[in-house]
Amino acid sequence: MADPDTESVDPADGEAVRNALERFAGATAVSEGDDGSVVADFRGRTHVTVHPGGRVETGMPLHEFSGVPERLVFDHDAGELRVERDGVTYTFRRP
């Protein structure tokens, strides 16, 4: 049985991405851009943006990520978002 606090989301599914980001960051931290992108803003410059079509951009002080993953895996208990593609994983940790 899957862990209820971990969910895998298709990055091209805008509604599922928004729901998962709202749970991950809090509903008040999530907004939609003019281009349809879903943005979770944290403190300062820290953010996660998922564009229509699934491209993901993250930003934190000292590093950032940009790419098109196969899936987004949210571990709500651990406060982690894993961006996964072809055996490569980038982990964003909720501040």
Side-chain angles (χ1 to χ4, degrees):
M1 182 172 191
D3 181 345
D5 290 321
T6 300
E7 63 182 309
S8 181
V9 176
D10 177 349
D13 182 343
E15 183 177 348
V17 167
R18 183 178 187 102
N19 290 338
L21 277 175
E22 285 179 348
R23 184 171 173 210
F24 184 73
T28 60
V30 178
S31 62
E32 188 169 321
D34 292 338
D35 64 353
S37 59
V38 180
V39 181
D41 280 313
F42 298 90
R43 297 182 294 249
R45 299 184 341 226
T46 305
H47 72 277
V48 173
T49 302
V50 183
H51 296 273
R55 185 169 55 90
V56 174
E57 296 175 353
T58 69
M60 296 187 92
L62 305 178
H63 77 276
E64 60 185 34
F65 172 87
S66 180
V68 180
E70 294 171 354
R71 75 191 136 275
L72 302 174
V73 180
F74 292 85
D75 184 335
H76 297 287
D77 270 352
E80 294 180 346
L81 164 59
R82 292 190 313 273
V83 180
E84 299 180 346
R85 177 180 178 188
D86 295 329
V88 175
T89 300
Y90 168 80
T91 302
F92 176 92
R93 289 180 178 82
R94 181 176 51 219

